[in-house]
Amino acid sequence: MEDGVLKEGFLVKRGHIVHNWKARWFILRQNTLLYYKLDGGRKVTPPKGRILLDGCTITCPCLEYENRPLLIKLKTQTSTEYFLEACSREERDAWAFEITGAIHAGQPGKVQQLHVLRNSFKLPPHISLHRIVDKMHDSSSGIRPSPNMEQGSTYKKTFIGSSLVDWLISNNFSANRLEAVTLASMLMEENFLRPVGVRSMGAIRSGDLAEQFLDDSTALYTFAESYKKKISSKEEMSLSTMELSGTVVKQGYLAKQGHKRKNWKVRRFVLRKDPAFLHYYDPSKEENRPVGGFSLRGSLVSALEDNGVPTGVKGNVQGNLFKVITKDDTHYYIQASSKAERAEWIEAIKKLT
C-alpha cells in the first residue's frame, strides 16, 4: 500500500446525476476519499472524483435502499450525498471504521472513543420490547420481510440476521452490533421473533444468550406470528437451487475478463462449499441473482506471472491475476486488488477443488 493510504479497494458507487451504480476503485487518505474509473482491470488516472472528508458525516448502516443492505452514506459539508456499497458486512464496517477515523483524525479523543465503542456493551435502561416490535412492523420505516432461500427451500416473510442488527442500530435501539445481537436474542426469548431454517435454528441450541441470535447474512428470522414455509416452485428453482445452497466461505469484489468480448468488469464473487461453487454477480444490478458461476469440482486454480501480459489475457492488465480452469476446460481470468488478496482467494478455492 502506498504511503499515506489508509485503505483501498472496490466499492460500488451511486451516480450523482443518473442514479445508476458502478464499481469504482477507492483510495482513502487522511482527509480525502478518491475514486477511479477502471479500464482493462486497471485504475485510470487522474481520479474520477474526490470526496473531502473534513466536516463530513457518515451513516452506517444506511437503509435507504431496500435491495442494497450494505451501504455507507457520506454527506459532505456542502450537503453532497454519496452512497457506497461494499461486498460484505465485514468489509462495509471496515470501510466505515477507517473513514470515520479519517474524518476525526484531528481529534485523538474521538478516535479513541471509536476503539472503545467497538468493544463496549451497555443496554439502554428500561427497554420496551413491545415498542421495538411495533416499530419493526411500521410500514414505512420497519423491517420488510421478503422471501429468502436457504438450502433449497424458500421461506416467505423472513429477514436476515445482519439486516435486523443494522435496523436496530440505525433506529437508535442499540449503540453497536454486540448490543443489537443481545437485544435481538431478547426478542426471541420473549417470542416476538423466531428462527427459520437450518442456520438460525442451530444457533438456538447454544446456551449463551448473546450467541443465540446470529449477526449473519445467511441466518433467517421471522415475526413469530407469521411463520410460514413453502418449498420453491419449479420456476423459482430454474437457477439451480442446489448450486446456491452451500455455505458461503468467502466473498469480495474482483475484476473478471469476459469470455466473448474479453473486456474486464468488476463482479462480486461468492465462494460456497457443500457443494463447491464459485458464482459472480453484477454489482450494478438490483436483483441478487448470479450472472454466472461454475462448479469447482475437478477445477485447477493458479496465479499468473506479474511481469508482462499472460497468454489469454487481453488488454494492458498486469499484476494480481489468477486463472481457474474448470473440469470442462473453460478458462476464467480473474484479477484481485493485491497480491495478498490473490493468495487468499487461491488458497480458499484450492481447498474446495
Side-chain angles (χ1 to χ4, degrees):
M1 208 175 275
E2 298 171 36
D3 287 346
V5 173
L6 302 173
K7 188 170 175 62
E8 62 181 321
F10 288 119
L11 292 169
V12 176
K13 175 184 166 293
R14 192 193 75 173
H16 279 306
I17 300 164
V18 180
H19 287 181
N20 53 359
W21 297 81
K22 290 186 177 176
R24 298 286 185 237
W25 182 261
F26 280 78
I27 294 181
L28 175 65
R29 294 183 179 274
Q30 200 60 71
N31 50 19
T32 313
L33 186 59
L34 305 166
Y35 54 95
Y36 297 80
K37 280 182 71 173
L38 296 163
D39 182 27
R42 296 167 70 96
K43 70 174 189 276
V44 178
T45 52
K48 171 82 174 163
R50 65 186 69 231
I51 304 169
L52 297 176
L53 297 177
D54 186 32
C56 214
T57 58
I58 181 168
T59 305
C60 179
C62 169
L63 306 181
E64 293 189 28
Y65 285 83
E66 187 179 349
N67 294 327
R68 295 184 182 272
L70 299 172
L71 284 181
I72 297 169
K73 176 181 171 183
L74 295 175
K75 189 171 183 178
T76 67
Q77 270 189 329
T78 56
S79 294
T80 305
E81 292 182 342
Y82 294 88
F83 292 88
L84 313 175
E85 184 180 36
C87 61
S88 67
R89 181 183 63 75
E90 293 78 12
E91 188 65 9
R92 179 199 65 186
D93 290 353
W95 271 104
F97 187 76
E98 293 294 345
I99 292 170
T100 306
I103 291 170
H104 298 293
Q107 303 165 268
K110 187 78 176 178
V111 177
Q112 178 62 30
Q113 198 179 331
L114 283 172
H115 286 278
V116 171
L117 186 62
R118 270 199 157 180
N119 304 305
S120 66
F121 179 69
K122 183 186 175 188
L123 277 177
H126 315 301
I127 276 183
S128 164
L129 296 181
H130 284 280
R131 179 171 164 257
I132 294 172
V133 174
D134 285 345
K135 187 84 185 281
M136 286 173 70
H137 279 286
D138 188 281
S139 58
S140 60
S141 61
I143 285 275
R144 291 189 183 90
S146 59
N148 283 285
M149 184 183 285
E150 186 195 37
Q151 298 197 2
S153 294
T154 296
Y155 296 91
K156 296 174 82 176
K157 295 186 177 179
T158 56
F159 41 85
I160 61 176
S162 53
S163 290
L164 177 56
V165 169
D166 286 347
W167 184 89
L168 288 168
I169 294 169
S170 66
N171 283 275
N172 299 316
F173 289 118
S174 306
N176 54 59
R177 303 196 80 83
L178 179 58
E179 190 176 299
V181 166
T182 303
L183 185 50
S185 296
M186 289 168 65
L187 290 166
M188 281 204 303
E189 287 282 299
E190 298 298 322
N191 294 318
F192 289 111
L193 304 179
R194 60 186 293 172
V196 180
V198 178
R199 184 94 172 84
S200 55
M201 289 292 285
I204 288 295
R205 300 187 185 100
S206 160
D208 185 349
L209 172 68
E211 291 178 3
Q212 284 189 1
F213 185 89
L214 296 177
D215 179 7
D216 191 299
S217 59
T218 61
L220 301 180
Y221 298 89
T222 188
F223 293 118
E225 72 274 15
S226 65
Y227 175 75
K228 281 181 186 173
K229 172 188 170 181
K230 81 170 184 71
I231 300 299
S232 307
S233 66
K234 284 182 180 175
E235 292 78 27
E236 286 176 305
M237 292 177 72
S238 59
L239 178 75
S240 174
T241 302
M242 184 269 297
E243 289 184 20
L244 299 172
S245 66
T247 305
V248 175
V249 175
K250 186 173 177 60
Q251 56 185 324
Y253 292 131
L254 298 166
K256 173 189 163 292
Q257 180 176 271
H259 286 298
K260 293 176 182 173
R261 293 175 59 198
K262 307 292 184 189
N263 53 349
W264 287 84
K265 290 188 175 175
V266 176
R267 296 290 183 241
R268 179 170 67 89
F269 278 78
V270 178
L271 178 63
R272 294 179 172 91
K273 69 174 183 178
D274 303 327
F277 272 85
L278 185 61
H279 291 98
Y280 48 95
Y281 299 72
D282 183 348
S284 67
K285 299 286 190 289
E286 290 283 328
E287 65 268 14
N288 191 29
R289 292 173 66 82
V291 292
F294 49 91
S295 169
L296 291 173
R297 183 170 297 221
S299 294
L300 297 172
V301 59
S302 60
L304 297 176
E305 289 295 323
D306 282 341
N307 50 347
V309 181
T311 307
V313 173
K314 187 178 178 184
N316 186 24
V317 182
Q318 294 178 37
N320 310 322
L321 290 165
F322 63 99
K323 177 168 71 171
V324 180
I325 306 174
T326 64
K327 196 175 180 180
D328 64 1
D329 201 36
T330 304
H331 292 225
Y332 289 86
Y333 294 95
I334 301 169
Q335 184 183 34
S337 57
S338 66
K339 282 187 173 63
E341 186 182 50
R342 175 176 67 178
E344 287 172 12
W345 273 100
I346 290 172
E347 185 184 355
I349 291 169
K350 274 184 176 174
K351 287 177 180 175
L352 302 179
T353 56

